[in-house]
Amino acid sequence: TSITSAKIQVNGVHLHYQQTGEGSHAVLLLPGMLGSGQTDFGPQLKSMNKQLFTVVAWDPRGYGKSIPPSRDFPPDFFERDAKDAVDLMQALKFKKFSLLGWSDGGITALIAAAKYPNLIHKLVVWGANASVTQEDVRIYNGIRDVSKWSEKVRKPLEELYGHKYFAETCEAWVDGISRFAENSDGNICQQLLPDIKCPTFIIHGEKDPLVPQAHAEYIHKHIKGSR
């Protein structure tokens, strides 16, 4: 099955997405910081079962091919992404769908599942966090300078954005996400986790260099029935 690539207007911006498969179970793939459907989910777009699933991977506003606008990080950027993601799937005429989100996309998926429970079928998140600690801020500042990234991770993003946009957006992301540490308990979406009613699967990499494992354990503890 081929992969279609298109743009659709949602909430005043033109969001880029890729779609493949003709299964009855619709799935949205949500990329991480600076990611796009193609850079983060190439293997899934290629290899997920196309008879069982209809797979959609999106580029959040300001990322990938969903530019313009340029990416910015107002205090509600995760809520904005969650609304964009859900409204994109509704614009594509999916009545109910599952969310697979990693990193920032995982946070976005948690918020969407909590706020739009009637639309979300199942939820899978990995590398996600519901709060930001001072330790996290220290880790984020360690990736602020993209010239220090490994070439393997840096190169595809540099090719996608050009060096200037990539470097400036990474710095803006570090500033934007670090602001959550100023909230009580460093809260991003802790209060929403009990509102997630769909079957939820949490995955975490033991060696994840950016998100300490305690975050995954917290999410598991506060989403009833999650695995």
Side-chain angles (χ1 to χ4, degrees):
T1 315
S2 64
I3 299 170
T4 52
S5 175
K7 280 188 164 185
I8 188 167
Q9 185 159 354
V10 177
N11 298 327
V13 294
H14 290 89
L15 295 175
H16 177 262
Y17 67 95
Q18 290 162 286
Q19 184 173 330
T20 187
E22 59 270 325
S24 58
H25 188 159
V27 171
L28 177 64
L29 308 176
L30 298 97
M33 171 266 271
L34 279 160
S36 67
Q38 191 55 51
T39 55
D40 289 12
F41 296 114
Q44 288 78 9
L45 284 162
K46 192 171 157 220
S47 305
M48 274 180 79
N49 186 317
K50 312 222 169 169
Q51 279 70 53
L52 285 179
F53 301 109
T54 297
V55 182
V56 178
W58 81 309
D59 299 356
R61 61 170 76 197
Y63 285 162
K65 293 181 178 169
S66 294
I67 304 171
S70 292
R71 182 71 183 185
D72 63 348
F73 299 94
D76 66 343
F77 73 90
F78 284 118
E79 280 86 359
R80 183 180 67 182
D81 282 350
K83 183 167 174 22
D84 281 349
V86 166
D87 291 351
L88 166 73
M89 291 300 277
Q90 292 198 293
L92 295 175
K93 306 284 188 271
F94 295 109
K95 290 185 172 56
K96 201 159 186 170
F97 45 92
S98 292
L99 301 172
L100 279 72
W102 101 271
S103 185
D104 275 15
I107 300 171
T108 301
L110 291 168
I111 293 169
K115 287 193 161 181
Y116 309 95
N118 300 336
L119 301 174
I120 309 306
H121 181 42
K122 294 182 176 182
L123 174 64
V124 183
V125 297
W126 60 108
N129 48 301
S131 64
V132 175
T133 67
Q134 289 304 327
E135 167 69 0
D136 295 330
V137 172
R138 191 186 64 73
I139 295 170
Y140 300 149
N141 276 301
I143 65 157
R144 178 186 286 277
D145 180 357
V146 296
S147 68
K148 295 186 177 139
W149 289 26
S150 74
E151 188 179 357
K152 184 185 168 205
V153 182
R154 188 180 73 233
K155 207 170 173 210
L157 292 169
E158 232 161 34
E159 283 169 5
L160 178 62
Y161 293 118
H163 178 76
K164 184 171 186 281
Y165 187 91
F166 171 44
E168 288 175 356
T169 307
C170 181
E171 287 198 21
W173 175 83
V174 171
D175 292 339
I177 195 149
S178 296
R179 264 186 234 114
F180 289 103
E182 296 160 16
N183 294 345
S184 161
D185 292 333
N187 180 46
I188 300 174
C189 61
Q190 291 170 317
Q191 76 290 355
L192 293 175
L193 300 181
D195 297 341
I196 296 173
K197 302 290 186 257
C198 63
T200 300
F201 189 39
I202 299 147
I203 304 171
H204 201 77
E206 195 170 75
K207 297 177 180 174
D208 189 319
L210 211 58
V211 183
Q213 192 172 321
H215 285 299
E217 288 162 0
Y218 181 94
I219 293 167
H220 173 43
K221 188 178 165 192
H222 290 87
I223 298 177
K224 199 177 169 188
S226 63
R227 291 165 56 199

